[in-house]
Amino acid sequence: MLPLKSRLFFRSWSVVGQTCRSVFVAGASCQKSALKTSTQDIPEMPPCDFKPEEFKGMSKERMLEIRQQNCFPMTMKVTFYKKPVFIHQGHMQWLWDVDGKRYLDLFAGVATVSVGHSHPKVTAAAERQLKRLWHTTNIYVYPTLHEYCEKLASNLPEPLKVVYLTNSGSEANDLAVMLARLHTGNFDIITFRGSYHGGSPQSTGLVSNHSYKYPVASSLGCTNTMCPDVFRGIWGGSHCRDSPVQTIRECSCAQGHCMAKDQYISQLRETFATSVPSRIAAFFGEPIQGVGGAVQYPKNYLKEAFELVRERGGLCIADEVQTGFGRTGSHMWGFQSHGVIPDIVTMAKGIANGFPMGAIVTTPEIAASFNKAVHFNTFGGNPVASAIASSVLDTVKEDGLQKNSLDVGTHLMTELAKLRDKYEIIGDVRGKGLMIGVEMVKDKASRDPLSPEVMSEIFEDVKDMGVLIGKGGIYGQTFRIKPPMCVTMDDADFFVAVFNKAVHNCMERRVR
């Protein structure tokens, strides 16, 4: 556990001048700026016995110069932080910058480093394969591809037993759209508002977030329906979702009945009645929205939604790019906690611990529809990618990472919920396992998003104290916590202390 000073640093304020009125109780602020914090109260980072190599490469100034001159301007646009982090080396849940500063990585390259940076088992598997065969394509038959496909399929329920390997989640979702249209003979696709399913020209049509929308036609035939968000949405209560932490909204539903679910299902029916033909190709859904801000749906919503989709001839597609491979803790796949079996599952990111790879898994009948023409992928199922991905599956089981995600994630959400109850600007804490969102608001009554400027202040403060997290949500109002699944309880406590201090600092600035 962390030293007592680190865990309880928030008690070390000194009050000077004016006295406070209900300081930080339910988020109330002081009449005047009367709080002072000491730099000595910065939480103490958990120890790490790994020693990184000394960085002797290019200067930070030169790297930025190249980034500005030789990389697309978009690269600078998506660069995190006013003072960027220059990453040099990683080990498990830790990253080091070029100056040797250590960071606790709670974003994992956008929920991608599943088992840990440079995990020894995965590294060894990659090295063995690199010495044997770097590349060939699936026009030939080679062991690693087939060994992996069999292993991956064995981790999914029947009848999901046929695998096609790709290079990314965007490509997997592209092909899932094509496959659904080929198989059903229908065209229209439905996705949730706030969804994110990739950055390729076709997958951006599935995306429902203005930040990722270019003013060009993309993937015609995609319709967005209301996201059943029980915190920010029209309906929601205190017993809606499958999460250790529920919303702060009141709920008067009878035991086993969710009014919010019924209302959102009614909205889906309305979408079917007004916005798409009577027959559709597919419905895309993330079991928990990722880029959208770890949004969770009411219990049994997806089960009823799948029934409605299938009544209209559509396939049900689960985008497990961020939720798969044990991250949600209770199950290997996010869809399993909803009590459904999709027709197609897409996956990527954590599939190979950061090595570029993706996959589609579906039924033999649906997969046969792909034979109506020829599709060829030069790098899909590359020997090195297959070897790494196979080692990831082994490591998740051997290291008990699914259970660790459940245990550490539940503890982390429970502690963050205490901060939600303490600060007015923390509106919601949600998620499962290590798929966590903390939604920030102007106040709990309105639930209006916290401004980007204030979000950035907290974001920078957390980074400066040694923790890397992400941001998401339609308005960038949600902090995203999706670390390598090897993080520990001490790491979780350290982050809670850091986040508490960052929000405290923010509240102090607000009352000056």
Side-chain angles (χ1 to χ4, degrees), residues 24 37 77 93 130 155 173 207 234 271 298 369 396 408 456 466:
F24 299 129
T37 56
K77 186 175 181 178
Q93 68 269 44
L130 282 167
N155 280 275
N173 284 331
V207 174
I234 300 174
T271 299
S369 299
V396 168
V408 176
S456 292

Side-chain angles (χ1 to χ4, degrees), residues 361-381:
V361 185
T362 188
T363 69
E365 181 185 11
I366 294 171
S369 299
F370 222 32
N371 288 342
K372 294 177 181 178
V374 174
H375 180 87
F376 180 71
N377 185 316
T378 302
F379 294 102

Side-chain angles (χ1 to χ4, degrees), residues 283-329:
F283 167 81
F284 260 86
E286 303 163 86
I288 300 174
Q289 283 193 345
V291 174
V295 176
Q296 291 179 282
Y297 325 127
K299 298 169 188 173
N300 296 317
Y301 174 90
L302 277 188
K303 184 179 292 186
E304 292 192 26
F306 277 24
E307 291 173 0
L308 293 176
V309 170
R310 286 169 173 152
E311 287 173 6
R312 289 154 179 81
L315 300 184
C316 299
I317 302 174
D319 181 337
E320 292 276 357
V321 169
Q322 295 196 32
T323 51
F325 300 94
R327 176 165 293 280
T328 61

Side-chain angles (χ1 to χ4, degrees), residues 342-363:
D343 301 297
I344 301 174
V345 181
T346 60
M347 53 192 76
K349 291 190 180 291
I351 192 172
N353 204 44
F355 197 89
M357 192 178 190
I360 296 174
V361 185
T362 188
T363 69

Side-chain angles (χ1 to χ4, degrees), residues 7-254:
R7 297 201 305 273
L8 304 180
F9 71 87
F10 47 85
R11 293 182 179 173
S12 63
W13 306 321
S14 61
V15 181
V16 295
Q18 299 292 326
T19 58
C20 290
R21 182 174 60 191
S22 301
V23 178
F24 299 129
V25 175
S29 59
C30 300
Q31 289 177 303
K32 294 185 179 180
S33 178
L35 298 180
K36 289 186 177 180
T37 56
S38 168
T39 56
Q40 295 178 351
D41 293 329
I42 294 176
E44 183 179 335
M45 186 176 286
C48 172
D49 57 9
F50 180 84
K51 185 176 181 180
E53 300 171 2
E54 181 183 357
F55 179 74
K56 298 179 180 179
M58 186 181 294
S59 70
K60 291 187 285 187
E61 294 74 19
R62 181 60 182 143
M63 281 189 270
L64 271 184
E65 184 180 358
I66 293 171
R67 198 172 181 88
Q68 292 167 340
Q69 294 180 357
N70 302 117
C71 298
F72 257 45
M74 181 56 64
T75 310
M76 285 302 300
K77 186 175 181 178
V78 300
T79 300
F80 272 12
Y81 306 114
K82 295 174 183 177
K83 295 180 180 179
V85 178
F86 294 79
I87 297 298
H88 165 49
Q89 191 167 355
H91 175 74
M92 303 305 283
Q93 68 269 44
W94 303 105
L95 289 170
W96 286 263
D97 68 13
V98 296
D99 297 318
K101 180 177 178 178
R102 177 162 58 105
Y103 296 88
L104 175 62
D105 182 10
L106 295 189
F107 201 34
V110 192
T112 298
V113 179
S114 50
V115 299
H117 291 283
S118 302
H119 192 292
K121 295 177 184 177
V122 181
T123 300
E127 289 175 345
R128 286 193 299 271
Q129 186 59 48
L130 282 167
K131 292 175 181 177
R132 186 179 302 125
L133 179 68
W134 278 39
H135 177 70
T136 186
T137 70
N138 55 25
I139 60 175
Y140 306 114
V141 181
Y142 51 96
T144 48
L145 170 69
H146 303 86
E147 290 165 0
Y148 178 65
C149 286
E150 181 183 44
K151 185 182 292 186
L152 179 61
S154 72
N155 280 275
L156 285 121
E158 294 285 355
L160 298 168
K161 293 300 172 186
V162 183
V163 178
Y164 189 86
L165 299 177
T166 67
N167 303 309
S168 69
S170 295
E171 184 188 1
N173 284 331
D174 272 0
L175 294 181
V177 169
M178 183 190 299
L179 189 55
R181 287 172 171 164
L182 286 170
H183 184 71
T184 64
N186 305 324
F187 189 72
D188 287 72
I189 310 286
I190 295 178
T191 63
F192 285 134
R193 294 176 193 169
S195 62
Y196 181 84
H197 297 285
S200 61
Q202 176 153 280
S203 64
T204 51
L206 304 171
V207 174
S208 178
N209 185 320
H210 74 96
S211 297
Y212 300 93
K213 291 287 192 181
Y214 285 92
V216 296
S218 61
S219 195
L220 299 177
C222 294
T223 298
N224 305 128
T225 192
M226 183 182 287
C227 177
D229 181 347
V230 298
F231 175 70
R232 289 198 76 248
I234 300 174
W235 304 285
S238 55
H239 303 287
C240 292
R241 62 194 183 200
D242 180 21
S243 174
V245 180
Q246 297 293 331
T247 71
I248 56 175
R249 300 175 73 171
E250 294 298 323
C251 182
S252 58
C253 294

Side-chain angles (χ1 to χ4, degrees), residues 398-440:
E398 292 167 4
D399 291 8
L401 297 182
Q402 181 179 320
K403 185 176 187 305
N404 191 64
S405 292
L406 180 63
D407 294 344
V408 176
T410 299
H411 171 74
L412 179 52
M413 277 182 274
T414 302
E415 294 302 306
L416 288 171
K418 296 176 184 177
L419 299 188
R420 178 200 62 183
D421 296 340
K422 177 180 177 181
Y423 294 113
E424 182 70 7
I425 63 172
I426 301 179
D428 195 30
V429 174
R430 56 181 175 256
K432 286 197 70 177
L434 292 172
M435 182 85 175
I436 301 171
V438 180
E439 183 156 347
M440 309 298 288

